[in-house]
Amino acid sequence: MKRMTLVALFVATTLGLSAQKPMKAPKGGMAISDELIGIFFEDINNCADGGLYAELIQNGSFEFSPAERDGWGAGTAWKQTRPGHSLGTMEVCKGTGIHPNNPTYMKLHAERTREFFDYKGWRGYGLENNGYDGINVKAGAKYDFSVFFRNYGESKQVRIALVEPQGWGKDPKLLADVTLTVDAKNWKKYAATLTPNADCKNAALQILMLTDGDMDIDMVSLMPQDTYKGHGLRKDLAQALADLHPKFMRFPGGCVVHGGGDGFWDTYRWKTTIGPKETRRGLKNTWGYHQSMGLGYYEYFQFCEDLGMEPVPILPSGVSCQGTNGGWGMWPQQAQDVVPMSQMDEWVAEAIDLIEWANGDPATNKWAKMRADAGHPKPFNLKYLGIGNEEKITPEFIERFKYIYERVTKAHPEIIIVGTAGPGSHKDNPDYEAGWKLAKELNMPILDEHYYEPNEYFLNKRQYDNYPRGGKTKVYLGEYAAKDKKFIDALAEGLYLLHVERNADIVAMTSYAPLFARKDGTQWNPDMIYFDNERPYLTCSYYVQQLFGQSCGQYFYGDCVQFEGDKKGIIQPQENVHYGQSVILNVKTRKLYVKLVNASDKEKEADINLSRFPIKKKCVKTVLEGKADDENNFDKQPIAPKKETIKAEKKFDIDLKPYSMVMLEYQL
């Protein structure tokens, strides 16, 4: 037994799993938030369906509508296919669908499925879907197919085939197929596994009736078995987020939360996103396309658990986005849709029911039982809940926000409510002033600020230096970014984050926005991660965010680094000074991080003194450097971190190249 214990200890130590005993922080540090760096996921830029959600079939529920986009309909992303000159028709139907939230389905009528002449055995009548600009499959990988069929008359043989189209008049190349016997008179789910025999970037899925007659079809799905931790998210995109080391995730928006430009009628409702996929209600979102809700609240919470992030769900406040009816800041009282006060109890229940779904006991609470029935009997331990997203701070908003806030905090005082400071959180903005006034009146724990600015703002402004200390309301910088994606923009954001770390007694959380953008499906630029069907493309800003995510801690030290030419005691970064530093101690992991940013065109020398810290002999040095106008894109990636292990010293000088960022990591 003793030998096994020693072996287990050796393995744990070798793998880096041995528990680190927290250390006592040396004097001179300021206590700060260790949840400072998180992520914000909003379904913008087509980043859920066809992106993070690993589903490969587009419009598998046939719920696309011309009300969502001109030219769209139930047949969007589908086409008729009839090899061997088979004949048939398809008809869009409603009325007896699988679920009221998913009313549309397709009726297939095949009247000649036999070979009309020798066609190499390829025959049948049915549908074809090529996913999102082609289905990317790998040889030997397994893909789970599922569909709901309802049969009429005799049983049918249905061929499910993954193919590589070869152009008009040519047989497709067969990658994988299976034949199902469909005999259910009521809706029934059928499933099979397809294993392609070759790689293919532009595959298509065919569903072919091989027997004449009629049948209904709905909820077509093709999902890779190899998803992130088996939970249905695209592995490479999820891993890119995991590599950021985020401490929380805010979701599902953003303007997606409260109806966006179309009004409050298409507000995101979490309750229609948590059941079986066939019961979820798809929705046109703010950004003009369809959300299947395959990526719903259950998947969001599960992903937070997988990455060790705090979930920060955002719920509507009873008023619409400032952009409703063409508003976007103009004539806000006319543009803002509002829920009548007589109906506000529904929105209070929306929040309370979510808390109970996430944290409640399945034995005593119906919402918690739904969570358990979905496969998660243990609570998700929800700590934060956001109410509202950058709405105009009108009298109507204030009345409704107070109504929800007071009732939710009374029912669940343990939940930390995140409020909103409106769009454009600067001191010259009336919404900002009104939002902070409301936060102070309610003793709100956290207020969400948003701003997108040219890099000059992040290079030159130090907003949080002048915030009052000792107040009860902390800042969550929930959306921010420089308005371009060059290296100088990323360095400007890094310089600003050094300023945030110096003020992390006031700023508790930050998240860059937007997070993802699909190539050729982008509504907003810049974004942190771009992607296509094959891989993610990581921007300069991604790598800066990654360094900050890797270096979280509980204490900030501002007097360990002195830049050449600065007066003694100056703690960078100052306004209009384009270089800066931050030293962060994580007492839990016993690690010390020194971060240096030079966003100027001149080399800077820094004198570093770490004498108060019991650093070990080795240091990991990570460097980002390049030209101001360098940009990572689909064609080239000039900016990427370079790591090396060097000898650790307690006192030394370092030359910081123009347009560079350096992080030094020490074990204590």
Side-chain angles (χ1 to χ4, degrees):
M1 182 65 69
K2 184 176 180 181
R3 181 176 179 273
M4 290 179 66
T5 302
L6 290 173
V7 170
L9 178 62
F10 171 78
V11 172
T13 303
T14 302
L15 295 177
L17 301 177
S18 57
Q20 288 280 356
K21 185 178 180 180
M23 65 179 288
K24 182 179 179 180
K27 292 181 180 180
M30 178 183 70
I32 63 171
S33 167
D34 62 358
E35 295 179 343
L36 194 59
I37 305 297
I39 56 176
F40 162 48
F41 183 91
E42 177 174 15
D43 192 354
I44 184 174
N45 303 316
N46 294 274
C47 68
D49 296 327
L52 183 61
Y53 181 47
E55 175 61 62
L56 296 171
I57 300 300
Q58 184 175 183
N59 192 21
S61 63
F62 304 102
E63 295 295 337
F64 281 36
S65 164
E68 299 177 323
R69 181 182 291 179
D70 288 344
W72 273 16
T76 297
W78 293 96
K79 69 177 183 179
Q80 176 182 251
T81 184
R82 52 187 195 93
H85 289 258
S86 301
L87 296 178
T89 59
M90 55 183 177
E91 177 186 359
V92 177
C93 297
K94 291 189 177 184
T96 59
I98 300 172
H99 190 274
N101 285 340
N102 177 27
T104 310
Y105 58 94
M106 198 71 75
K107 181 181 288 291
L108 298 182
H109 168 72
E111 61 183 64
R112 190 179 71 202
T113 57
R114 66 187 185 280
E115 292 179 277
F116 185 59
F117 53 83
D118 182 15
Y119 205 73
K120 301 180 182 178
W122 200 271
R123 65 185 182 88
Y125 175 80
L127 298 171
E128 179 176 303
N129 189 298
N130 73 340
Y132 299 87
D133 303 318
I135 299 173
N136 185 35
V137 296
K138 299 296 182 184
K142 296 185 182 300
Y143 297 84
D144 290 332
F145 168 82
S146 66
V147 64
F148 279 80
F149 285 131
R150 180 169 56 188
N151 181 51
Y152 299 89
E154 66 175 293
S155 62
K156 309 284 191 304
Q157 295 295 297
V158 181
R159 187 185 193 189
I160 312 300
L162 264 175
V163 301
E164 181 178 3
Q166 300 296 306
W168 188 86
K170 297 181 180 179
D171 292 340
K173 177 183 176 182
L174 180 64
L175 301 170
D177 73 332
V178 65
T179 299
L180 303 175
T181 300
V182 177
D183 55 7
K185 305 303 181 185
N186 296 308
W187 286 112
K188 178 182 175 181
K189 187 175 183 178
Y190 292 81
T193 298
L194 298 172
T195 305
N197 56 25
D199 291 353
C200 184
K201 298 178 182 179
N202 64 330
L205 179 78
Q206 292 187 347
I207 301 173
L208 296 166
M209 294 177 63
L210 304 180
T211 309
D212 292 356
D214 297 326
M215 71 178 191
D216 298 330
I217 179 174
D218 202 359
M219 292 303 298
V220 182
S221 172
L222 185 68
M223 182 76 75
Q225 285 189 2
D226 188 19
T227 60
Y228 191 76
K229 297 196 175 183
H231 289 157
L233 301 186
R234 185 172 142 178
K235 203 169 183 179
D236 57 347
L237 299 186
Q239 187 61 54
L241 298 185
D243 292 342
L244 288 168
H245 298 265
K247 303 305 178 289
F248 65 88
M249 183 171 78
R250 172 176 171 242
F251 60 89
C255 292
V256 162
V257 166
H258 49 198
D262 289 328
F264 204 68
W265 65 270
D266 64 347
T267 294
Y268 191 106
R269 305 301 292 267
W270 71 267
K271 294 178 182 179
T272 61
T273 75
I274 60 171
K277 301 294 173 72
E278 65 271 16
T279 70
R280 301 185 184 186
R281 181 172 65 90
L283 185 71
K284 176 193 176 183
N285 79 359
T286 299
W287 306 106
Y289 58 85
H290 187 87
Q291 293 174 280
S292 73
M293 300 304 176
L295 177 56
Y297 258 55
Y298 183 85
E299 289 76 21
Y300 284 129
F301 272 80
Q302 191 175 56
F303 187 49
C304 287
E305 188 174 73
D306 286 343
L307 264 61
M309 303 182 290
E310 294 287 350
V312 187
I314 309 297
L315 296 181
S317 61
V319 304
S320 68
C321 175
Q322 71 274 12
T324 297
N325 305 321
W328 294 113
M330 299 182 292
W331 314 296
Q333 300 216 12
Q334 290 89 342
Q336 195 175 57
D337 287 348
V338 300
V339 172
M341 288 304 298
S342 61
Q343 298 176 17
M344 281 302 297
D345 284 344
E346 176 183 346
W347 299 94
V348 173
E350 192 89 351
I352 292 175
D353 292 345
L354 174 60
I355 296 167
E356 293 175 349
W357 175 81
N359 294 352
D361 181 354
T364 59
N365 184 274
K366 71 172 186 177
W367 293 105
K369 186 177 184 304
M370 290 181 67
R371 181 197 73 233
D373 290 345
H376 201 284
K378 293 182 179 180
F380 281 116
N381 299 316
L382 176 67
K383 181 168 76 172
Y384 296 104
L385 177 63
I387 304 295
N389 168 73
E390 69 174 34
E391 294 90 350
K392 299 290 289 182
I393 311 298
T394 60
E396 291 83 0
F397 167 82
I398 292 172
E399 183 180 21
R400 285 154 182 79
F401 182 90
K402 281 184 176 180
Y403 193 88
I404 298 176
Y405 181 87
E406 290 168 355
R407 285 155 180 78
V408 173
T409 53
K410 182 178 180 180
H412 288 282
E414 77 282 5
I415 296 296
I416 299 171
I417 301 295
V418 181
T420 176
S425 300
H426 299 303
K427 290 189 175 181
D428 57 351
N429 187 312
D431 292 302
Y432 168 87
E433 299 291 347
W436 269 103
K437 181 180 178 182
L438 178 61
K440 292 174 182 177
E441 177 187 338
L442 296 175
N443 285 323
M444 201 180 300
I446 301 180
L447 194 66
D448 183 11
E449 297 186 347
H450 295 177
Y451 38 91
Y452 299 92
E453 298 291 339
N455 64 42
E456 288 85 357
Y457 178 87
F458 297 99
L459 288 169
N460 298 322
K461 297 297 182 183
R462 302 292 176 260
Q463 178 160 331
Y464 299 112
D465 282 345
N466 301 317
Y467 274 43
R469 261 57 190 176
K472 292 187 177 180
T473 305
K474 303 293 185 183
V475 174
Y476 169 28
L477 179 51
E479 295 184 34
Y480 74 97
K483 289 186 174 180
D484 206 343
K485 50 183 182 287
K486 294 181 170 58
F487 190 39
I488 185 61
D489 301 288
L491 290 174
E493 293 157 356
L495 188 67
Y496 197 73
L497 280 175
L498 294 178
H499 155 68
V500 167
E501 285 187 326
R502 189 175 76 243
N503 290 281
D505 56 332
I506 294 171
V507 184
M509 307 161 78
T510 69
S511 51
Y512 179 103
L515 185 60
F516 278 123
R518 181 178 174 84
K519 185 181 181 182
D520 301 326
T522 300
Q523 295 88 43
W524 183 290
N525 278 298
D527 306 282
M528 192 194 298
I529 302 168
Y530 293 79
F531 66 91
D532 58 18
N533 287 346
E534 296 180 70
R535 55 162 288 188
Y537 295 82
L538 307 177
T539 63
C540 304
S541 292
Y542 173 91
Y543 289 119
V544 169
Q545 292 288 327
Q546 185 181 60
L547 291 182
F548 279 89
Q550 290 171 346
S551 58
C552 73
Q554 299 80 32
Y555 290 90
F556 166 86
Y557 292 83
D559 58 351
C560 299
V561 180
Q562 184 75 39
F563 283 96
E564 182 184 20
D566 287 347
K567 293 181 180 179
K568 193 71 175 176
I570 290 289
I571 300 175
Q572 300 290 348
Q574 304 172 83
E575 288 197 3
N576 302 311
V577 175
H578 297 171
Y579 55 89
Q581 57 85 19
S582 178
V583 177
I584 301 295
L585 172 64
N586 191 318
V587 297
K588 298 177 183 177
T589 62
R590 302 179 67 94
K591 286 190 175 183
L592 183 73
Y593 302 93
V594 178
K595 292 192 289 292
L596 308 165
V597 172
N598 184 7
S600 75
D601 60 357
K602 301 288 192 300
E603 184 175 279
K604 300 299 297 184
E605 181 181 305
D607 178 54
I608 300 175
N609 187 340
L610 306 176
S611 297
R612 76 189 74 176
F613 303 103
I615 62 175
K616 297 189 183 298
K617 295 181 179 181
K618 299 294 183 181
C619 167
V620 177
K621 180 181 180 182
T622 305
V623 178
L624 294 172
E625 59 185 17
K627 299 176 182 178
D629 289 336
D630 280 344
E631 181 177 325
N632 289 353
N633 55 41
F634 286 91
D635 299 318
K636 58 181 181 178
Q637 301 269 301
I639 302 300
K642 299 174 183 177
K643 287 182 179 286
E644 62 175 324
T645 300
I646 61 175
K647 180 182 177 181
E649 299 177 90
K650 289 200 171 186
K651 289 185 178 182
F652 60 99
D653 294 334
I654 186 170
D655 292 326
L656 203 58
K657 291 183 180 180
Y659 306 116
S660 66
M661 178 175 178
V662 173
M663 186 173 81
L664 305 172
E665 176 185 331
Y666 301 87
Q667 188 69 56
L668 307 183

